[in-house]
Amino acid sequence: MPPRPREKQPLETLEATGVLFESDDVSSEKFAQEEKVEPRTYEIVWFNVTLFVILHCVALYGVYLSFTSAKLATTIYAIILYQMGAFGITAGAHRLWSHKAYKAKWPLKLILVLCQTLAHQNSVIEWSRDHRVHHKYQETDADPHNAKRGFFFSHMGWLMCKKHDDVKDKGKGIDMSDLFAEPILRLQHKYFYYLMPIGCFLLPTLWPIVLWGETLGNAYCLNITRYVITLHATWLVNSAAHMWGSKPYDKYINPTENLFVSMFAIGEGWHNYHHTFPWDYKTAEYGRLNWTMAVINLFSKIGWAYDLKTVSPEMIEKRVKRTGDGSHEIWGWGDKD
Ligand code: ST9
Ligand code: ZN
Ligand code: ZN
């Protein structure tokens, strides 16, 4: 990768990024670390490895059941829950809370926290702290899922071993006061290990049994299948969308535009754009395969979502021409190597 020009960001960029402005064009610390190549050690957490193996076996069995004994209603229900959980992650933990890309009224916050709990990817506070560290120190040892450590590590391996000391050290410097100031997030964080089993496993298993007479086995396994699918859809953003695809906005960073990932991650695969302009509520220049954006727009029509931040076409154009890889469909003449 060519060394990145250390230019100062335009004031407009700094102002618009709000809480994450420092992570847009990361500190020089990042670049010092990028050059550091050292053998890494992996302290494997066997409890997590065992849980993930069991989870995947049950999920695969759930796929089998959906084609054999499960009711069609249960399969459709599992797909709907996958989308709802995904929405809690994308519109909630990611765009609203990690990046403050828009503001939300309390009914929408409640919906988002419930959906995010359904997706069980840790509490919003823990998720956002890891994600803010990821943006600020991307592809360094302080990045929890540093893609330079390979596909498997960035996809799911990082959840099966102890975090690098840099993650914890640098993470302590991340300001999380805005999220701790929100009672709903403090509550979710404090009672997460009560809320998560109920919200992600118990209730979703119960409804098909009560409402349309599904068997316990089918309801349980298909719920695990939808949970695992949401996990992989999310993890693909950290792995595939940090490895494969074009870089129309910034060729100096690893995140890419990945259509396949966007399809499964309901609009979060446009990752080169997102790392370049992390405060944009669309996490993309366009609305393609981005129903998270469409639903936020719907909520903004009834006033539950407001102050949606985005990026002006002029700013995008300037950036594409300055740092793009030449693949942008309109301003494709970015400075090619
Ligand atoms: C899951 C999360 O899957 C997935 C997140 C994906 C993010 C994706 C982002 C992509 C972009 C957005 C697009 C969204 C797309 C969505 C599409 C949807 C379809 N800073 O954690 P511990 C401290 S979760 C500061 O135990 P270990 C911590 O506070 C899946 N401090 O570390 C603690 O201090 P204290 C289900 C930090 O021991 C201490 O360190 N969940 C930070 O190394 C120890 O913390 C799981 O599988 C930080 N960043 O263990 C659980 N991090 O003691 C997995 C930590 O004072 N997690 N600290 O409180 C674990 O079991 C463990 O965390 C571990 C590491 C084994 C991985
Ligand atoms: Zn990323
Ligand atoms: Zn982000």
Side-chain angles (χ1 to χ4, degrees):
M1 192 192 297
R4 182 194 182 112
R6 298 301 305 148
E7 293 173 42
K8 249 188 150 8
Q9 280 296 288
L11 187 62
E12 195 187 359
T13 309
L14 296 176
E15 280 170 357
T17 46
V19 70
L20 268 184
F21 68 83
E22 73 273 36
S23 72
D24 177 33
D25 256 328
V26 206
S27 65
S28 52
E29 223 167 334
K30 177 200 158 196
F31 299 96
Q33 285 210 13
E34 257 183 0
E35 279 139 35
K36 187 173 81 182
V37 180
E38 60 176 38
R40 272 98 177 201
T41 50
Y42 295 88
E43 199 182 325
I44 297 173
V45 178
W46 288 105
F47 178 75
N48 287 13
V49 175
T50 312
L51 272 188
F52 277 126
V53 169
I54 295 171
L55 210 59
H56 282 77
C57 291
V58 178
L60 283 175
Y61 189 53
V63 174
Y64 166 76
L65 292 178
S66 75
F67 286 107
T68 52
S69 63
K71 298 190 173 170
L72 181 63
T74 313
T75 302
I76 295 171
Y77 166 81
I79 294 169
I80 293 171
L81 288 197
Y82 151 46
Q83 297 288 303
M84 284 172 61
F87 185 69
I89 298 295
T90 59
H94 192 217
R95 303 184 195 193
L96 176 63
W97 283 303
S98 294
H99 291 295
K100 308 237 144 219
Y102 66 99
K103 293 196 178 100
K105 297 235 168 97
W106 76 263
L108 177 56
K109 285 185 183 173
L110 182 64
I111 292 171
L112 291 170
V113 164
L114 292 175
C115 288
Q116 197 270 349
T117 309
L118 172 70
H120 172 29
Q121 295 185 6
N122 304 323
S123 68
V124 169
I125 287 180
E126 192 173 335
W127 198 103
S128 301
R129 185 189 54 186
D130 276 345
H131 192 63
R132 287 179 180 183
V133 185
H134 165 65
H135 271 268
K136 186 161 182 179
Y137 300 105
Q138 54 185 288
E139 332 281 24
T140 73
D141 283 335
D143 178 350
H145 30 81
N146 178 6
K148 290 210 170 126
R149 296 176 77 169
F151 181 91
F152 186 75
F153 179 86
S154 59
H155 191 72
M156 61 188 292
W158 67 283
L159 291 163
M160 291 186 252
C161 54
K162 292 277 187 187
K163 287 174 171 163
H164 194 287
D165 284 345
D166 284 5
V167 175
K168 298 170 192 177
D169 293 344
K170 296 284 193 314
K172 288 196 181 83
I174 299 286
D175 184 7
M176 296 297 294
S177 57
D178 55 323
L179 301 195
F180 277 105
E182 297 217 27
I184 195 167
L185 298 188
R186 279 205 310 274
L187 197 82
Q188 191 220 25
H189 190 62
K190 185 165 176 195
Y191 297 108
F192 191 69
Y193 286 96
Y194 297 98
L195 296 173
M196 175 272 287
I198 298 171
C200 180
F201 300 107
L202 196 69
L203 290 180
T205 304
L206 207 62
W207 296 132
I209 300 169
V210 173
L211 296 180
W212 54 87
E214 185 54 276
T215 64
L216 172 63
N218 285 346
Y220 178 77
C221 293
L222 263 75
N223 181 51
I224 297 289
T225 306
R226 74 85 202 161
Y227 171 54
V228 169
I229 289 173
T230 314
L231 284 180
H232 281 286
T234 309
W235 295 341
L236 278 171
V237 179
N238 294 334
S239 54
H242 269 259
M243 288 179 185
W244 303 304
S246 60
K247 301 177 182 181
Y249 307 97
D250 193 337
K251 66 183 173 190
Y252 300 103
I253 57 176
N254 280 355
T256 59
E257 300 287 281
N258 190 308
L259 183 133
F260 173 80
V261 175
S262 272
M263 238 156 54
F264 289 100
I266 60 172
E268 296 276 7
W270 312 115
H271 213 47
N272 189 255
Y273 181 90
H274 174 57
H275 272 266
T276 312
F277 304 109
W279 66 92
D280 191 324
Y281 86 99
K282 303 192 286 346
T283 73
E285 183 177 356
Y286 309 108
R288 279 179 210 142
L289 294 176
N290 192 346
W291 78 255
T292 302
M293 182 202 82
V295 179
I296 296 173
N297 286 346
L298 275 182
F299 278 115
S300 86
K301 290 222 178 344
I302 58 166
W304 288 10
Y306 59 103
D307 280 0
L308 314 186
K309 289 187 197 143
T310 189
V311 186
S312 68
E314 296 74 37
M315 192 194 277
I316 299 176
E317 181 182 353
K318 266 197 328 214
R319 185 62 184 257
V320 165
K321 289 177 179 170
R322 183 162 65 87
T323 58
D325 67 355
S327 65
H328 192 278
E329 59 194 57
I330 304 170
W331 306 296
W333 57 81
D335 56 332
K336 296 189 178 86
D337 284 326

